[in-house]
Amino acid sequence: MSAVMINQSKGGRYCTLAEACAVPLPTATESYTPVANGDLVRTAAQKICDYYNVANNDIEVNCGLSAKDQQFFASLSVKSFTHEENKSLLQVVLGNSYNKTLCARGAGGINSWVCDNLSISGDIKFMRKHTSNVWLDLDELLNKVVEGALPAFNKGMNDANCMRE
């Protein structure tokens, strides 16, 4: 289940991670440090694998590009944390841009989503400008999203079960 919403009628498109990685990374400046789309996804996926002790093939990655491929959106769904009855799964979503229109961003929890209209939803969220030392902060922010996603997912499933009863 993809948590990436792309408006294809406005030029956005769904893509593979390989296609998103193929978009040329802009040049860094004194005040701007780009974050590579692939590095952002691979770092988040590795943190999910390490923290939840799951294999990389347990993570389904869905991607989209918009703004002439300069804005990137991705969802990482952890298949082993799926609640069929509630049609919900643990997700981490990401956003990024190469044209300086978006901060690097992420969210996690139950049914998180990211949209090319610049909305992002989840129980735990972060945004970080592409300034120097961006990766120092992104590493910590991704840890918080990954670590907080399962407790938020479990709380949501418990709430749903209570309402059903």
Side-chain angles (χ1 to χ4, degrees), residues 73-151:
F73 308 91
S75 69
L76 292 81
S77 303
V78 186
K79 295 182 277 189
S80 60
F81 291 97
T82 302
H83 195 283
E84 293 298 329
E85 191 173 345
N86 294 326
K87 297 191 178 4
S88 300
L89 65 153
L90 178 71
Q91 294 176 315
V92 171
V93 296
L94 304 167
N96 191 34
S97 76
Y98 288 172
N99 62 1
K100 303 178 186 178
T101 58
L102 293 175
C103 295
R105 55 187 53 208
I110 184 169
N111 293 332
S112 300
W113 52 266
V114 62
C115 182
D116 70 346
N117 71 2
L118 311 187
S119 296
I120 189 167
S121 177
D123 299 295
I124 300 128
K125 298 178 197 168
F126 75 82
M127 291 185 193
R128 174 60 164 84
K129 288 184 177 182
H130 293 85
T131 56
S132 62
N133 299 319
V134 65
W135 274 108
L136 294 176
D137 290 340
L138 277 181
D139 191 58
E140 183 180 328
L141 294 168
L142 284 168
N143 282 337
K144 286 181 182 178
V145 165
V146 168
E147 292 169 12
L150 186 59

Side-chain angles (χ1 to χ4, degrees), residues 33-106:
T33 303
V35 173
N37 297 331
D39 291 346
L40 185 60
V41 170
R42 283 187 289 274
T43 300
Q46 188 61 55
K47 289 182 178 299
I48 291 168
C49 289
D50 293 347
Y51 191 78
Y52 294 114
N53 195 29
V54 298
N56 201 43
N57 64 0
D58 194 36
I59 300 171
E60 179 181 322
V61 178
N62 291 285
C63 301
L65 292 164
S66 67
K68 299 181 182 174
D69 293 350
Q70 296 301 292
Q71 293 178 338
F72 170 71
F73 308 91
S75 69
L76 292 81
S77 303
V78 186
K79 295 182 277 189
S80 60
F81 291 97
T82 302
H83 195 283
E84 293 298 329
E85 191 173 345
N86 294 326
K87 297 191 178 4
S88 300
L89 65 153
L90 178 71
Q91 294 176 315
V92 171
V93 296
L94 304 167
N96 191 34
S97 76
Y98 288 172
N99 62 1
K100 303 178 186 178
T101 58
L102 293 175
C103 295
R105 55 187 53 208

